[in-house]
């Protein structure tokens, strides 16, 4: 498993509302920190934060999320 960037994990926790972070917020965070989105995804997993409202429909868009 890849090492988790603790500073990104902390930012994910700060942005998350009720343990959730939208895909758009995750991508924006990745862009602002100059890291690939997968880095934010791994940090979210480590922080037990669910990524929701994925623009690709992978994480529950139109499924009641």
């Amino acid at each position: 498993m890849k090492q988790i960037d603790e500073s990104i994990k902390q930012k994910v926790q700060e942005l998350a509302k009720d343990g959730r972070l939208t895909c758009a917020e995750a991508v924006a965070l990745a862009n602002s920190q100059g890291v690939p989105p997968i880095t934010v995804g791994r940090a979210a997993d480590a922080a037990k934060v669910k990524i929701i409202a994925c623009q690709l429909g992978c994480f529950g868009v139109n499924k009641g999320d």
Side-chain angles (χ1 to χ4, degrees):
M1 179 179 229
K2 301 273 184 181
Q3 186 173 357
I4 302 304
D5 184 319
E6 290 298 321
S7 66
I8 300 293
K9 181 179 170 184
Q10 182 176 355
K11 290 181 187 312
V12 165
Q13 290 170 321
E14 291 170 4
L15 289 172
K17 296 169 190 76
D18 297 321
R20 295 174 168 208
L21 185 68
T22 67
C23 185
E25 291 170 322
V27 171
L29 175 60
N31 290 338
S32 74
Q33 299 300 304
V35 298
I38 191 68
T39 300
V40 175
R42 288 184 179 126
D45 286 346
K48 307 272 193 269
V49 170
K50 182 177 179 181
I51 303 289
I52 61 167
C54 179
Q55 290 97 333
L56 298 175
C58 298
F59 298 101
V61 168
N62 299 325
K63 295 182 184 175
D65 260 2

